[in-house]
Amino acid sequence: METREMRYFVAVAEELHFGRAAQRLAIAQPPLSRAIQQLERRLGVVLLHRTTRAITLTEAGSVLLREARLALEAVEAAEYRTRRAAADRPGVVLATKAGASRELLSKLLDAYTADPSAVAVEVMLCGPGEPESLLRNGRADVALLHRPYDMTAGFDTEDLHTEQQVLVLPAGHPLANRPHMSMAEVNALTDLPLPRWPRRDGSYPDGPGPQVRDHTQLTQLITLGRACALMPESVGAQLRDDHAIVPVPDAPAVTTVIAWPPHSRSKAVADFVRTAIHLSR
């Protein structure tokens, strides 16, 4: 497949509408429809179910959407890394979610910059899911990711720290003094629904919780009594007095990992990763 065909298909699969996809791609609708039909004929599979009312993905279409996104990110990464190599400006770009692993990040930067051979580190503070994307598309050299929320497939990784999660409630909530809660109880909180974070394509899953984009927005919604949230223990400890924290023993543990592209040959990235691993031991 050509990258052009993959871009066409991803646009249609994400929009589920040929007109909107054509507008997004800045092309006419008829050639877009023909391109998708030609792709289906060449692959010998049906990618889209088309009716007069709607377009839906087939199982084969869902697989191609996932794989095409990864392939296009790899092409984009090759372009970025090639240009950065030609610029001949040594440095490491680190992507991490804003508000997460704050203490670990501070110690890591201090330890690395203390090395006489250290290069400049540019820190990109991002929203949920963005560090993974920046690492895949080549804008970042290394990232701090969090399993199970970030996908680490395709990266080289080292586990740095694992911690339990806690429930963050507005101070004064009737459950704020509970010694602990279960996930079943958390999911049953109709007055304080869990937030909805954006998917990779920018859309939000269905549900009663408010749509959120970043940590600051979330903590304010909790303060206002509009949501609750599961957070790693270390993040909960940084919150203000207008929040309450309740342990949730059966919530999935969160592991902070340092991730980098498996084909990286950068000595600076290797040194940075080595420093992170040393700190975690």
Side-chain angles (χ1 to χ4, degrees):
M1 289 183 292
E2 300 176 0
T3 55
R4 174 184 61 85
E5 293 176 310
M6 287 190 284
R7 288 192 177 97
Y8 283 8
F9 175 73
V10 168
V12 174
E14 290 181 347
E15 299 291 344
L16 293 177
H17 191 281
F18 276 94
R20 290 194 298 269
Q23 186 176 18
R24 168 174 155 180
L25 294 164
I27 63 173
Q29 184 173 334
L32 175 60
S33 298
R34 287 195 298 271
I36 299 300
Q37 291 169 356
Q38 291 169 3
L39 179 60
E40 288 179 315
R41 284 197 297 269
R42 194 163 71 255
L43 292 175
V45 300
V46 176
L47 299 171
L48 303 166
H49 285 310
R50 305 165 177 84
T51 69
T52 56
R53 289 176 170 268
I55 295 174
T56 57
L57 286 171
T58 64
E59 181 63 26
S62 297
V63 171
L64 181 58
L65 175 59
R66 182 177 65 248
E67 298 296 333
R69 282 170 171 161
L70 293 174
L72 291 172
E73 285 178 338
V75 171
E76 187 179 1
E79 295 174 357
Y80 275 110
R81 293 185 178 119
T82 300
R83 292 194 182 101
R84 288 181 57 196
D88 195 27
R89 291 196 299 269
V92 172
V93 179
L94 167 67
T96 184
K97 185 169 67 176
S101 307
R102 186 180 302 177
E103 183 178 356
L104 172 63
L105 176 61
S106 178
K107 290 180 178 178
L108 174 54
L109 293 175
D110 287 345
Y112 175 71
T113 54
D115 189 325
S117 63
V119 299
V121 179
E122 178 185 348
V123 179
M124 301 179 72
L125 297 178
C126 320
E130 291 181 0
E132 177 199 332
S133 295
L134 291 170
L135 190 57
R136 292 194 189 280
N137 67 27
R139 294 176 184 262
D141 301 306
V142 64
L144 293 179
L145 304 180
H146 301 86
R147 289 199 309 262
Y149 299 113
D150 294 314
M151 186 172 68
T152 58
F155 298 136
D156 282 346
T157 63
E158 285 284 348
D159 292 0
L160 301 181
H161 179 59
T162 298
E163 56 187 315
Q164 297 301 310
Q165 294 195 85
V166 296
L167 181 67
V168 182
L169 302 164
H173 189 274
L175 298 175
N177 294 323
R178 286 279 298 272
H180 56 79
M181 292 180 62
S182 68
M183 280 300 304
E185 291 174 310
V186 172
N187 290 322
L189 288 176
T190 56
D191 63 324
L192 289 177
L194 291 167
R196 290 179 291 145
W197 296 97
R199 300 188 182 98
R200 289 169 61 87
D201 62 1
S203 65
Y204 286 85
D206 295 332
Q211 298 179 1
V212 294
R213 298 179 303 276
D214 56 50
H215 181 76
T216 301
Q217 182 187 32
L218 174 58
T219 54
Q220 187 169 356
L221 285 169
I222 296 173
T223 301
L224 295 172
R226 295 294 185 268
C228 66
L230 287 170
M231 297 185 184
E233 286 177 319
S234 60
V235 176
Q238 302 163 9
L239 297 175
R240 301 178 304 179
D241 293 339
D242 45 8
H243 297 104
I245 295 172
V246 179
V248 184
D250 64 341
V254 175
T255 299
T256 302
V257 306
I258 188 164
W260 67 97
H263 51 73
S264 175
R265 297 296 180 268
S266 166
K267 180 181 181 301
V269 169
D271 290 344
F272 192 84
V273 169
R274 192 177 301 112
T275 300
I277 295 172
H278 178 73
L279 277 177
S280 68
R281 297 297 182 257

